[in-house]
Amino acid sequence: HAHHCVEQNKGRVPTSHLLHFSHSSLSNPQEDWVAVTEAYWRNPEGPGTSYKYRESHPVTHVSHRDAAEYCKWTGKRLPGEREWEAAARAGQYGPANRTLYVWGEDPTIEASKEHANLWGEGDFPWENRGEDGWRATSPVKSFKPNAYGLYDMTGNVWEWVRGGKHKNRIVRGGSYVDSYDGSFNHAATLGARATLHGTTTTGNVGFRCVKSPQKRVEYHYVY
């Protein structure tokens, strides 16, 4: 249940969509996204770029269908939305212990930079200070895991989940261009959620694969 990185996807997940993330949120695609010819998971920023030396980063530029097919090929699947949120909250979902963020309730960059790859406090989109050490995607396990031992449930890249319609597929978790407090783009809370057309591929949307545990059969013998 970790992000699948580019090296693992090599040769398996073709991506035909040419959208490449430019500098803003998922909410205004006409204003905030540009098409870069031949940008796909092997060349995330277009011709002349490469996934090399980023093998431990989340793979990006993968459509919902391609992500689902890759999961299927590995014997796994995309997580359901409720399943994803339960994993993200890591037990913090009751009325007494429900928290706003994966790190708790502290709405400051000092708290978030230890737990999630987010934008920070620079003037968006022109001033990326990289307070958390990264200005784009970061390697998996760069930040502290949640209470279940899961990494990047907030920030780094949005993650496709099962459900939604073809024109409104669901992504969860926020990304490196989102803010901890919602002052621009999405607030990177545990409830962060957006929808995208299923064929969309971008530089800040990825996925993770999950697998249901096998049911344990218990035998009770009567002597």
Side-chain angles (χ1 to χ4, degrees), residues 73-162:
W73 177 72
T74 63
K76 301 176 183 178
R77 57 179 173 77
L78 289 174
E81 187 171 14
R82 291 184 180 181
E83 182 179 33
W84 187 96
E85 184 154 342
R89 292 192 178 278
Q92 306 297 315
Y93 45 78
N97 66 353
R98 187 182 181 94
T99 62
L100 186 62
Y101 303 107
V102 68
W103 59 86
E105 296 288 337
D106 187 357
T108 65
I109 189 62
E110 286 72 25
S112 70
K113 69 181 182 180
E114 299 294 325
H115 297 268
N117 181 355
L118 303 173
W119 182 270
E121 296 185 330
D123 183 26
F124 186 85
W126 313 112
E127 186 184 6
N128 188 342
R129 298 176 184 173
E131 292 99 331
D132 54 23
W134 301 92
R135 288 187 169 86
T137 61
S138 55
V140 176
K141 298 186 179 181
S142 294
F143 297 87
K144 295 178 181 179
N146 69 8
Y148 285 173
L150 301 174
Y151 294 88
D152 291 346
M153 297 303 290
T154 289
N156 213 0
V157 295
W158 289 92
E159 299 177 16
W160 292 115
V161 298
R162 288 186 298 165

Side-chain angles (χ1 to χ4, degrees), residues 19-37:
L19 279 181
H20 164 62
F21 176 73
S22 176
H23 62 242
S24 198
S25 68
L26 302 178
S27 58
N28 298 300
Q30 297 302 317
E31 298 178 5
D32 304 329
W33 298 74
V34 296
V36 177
T37 303

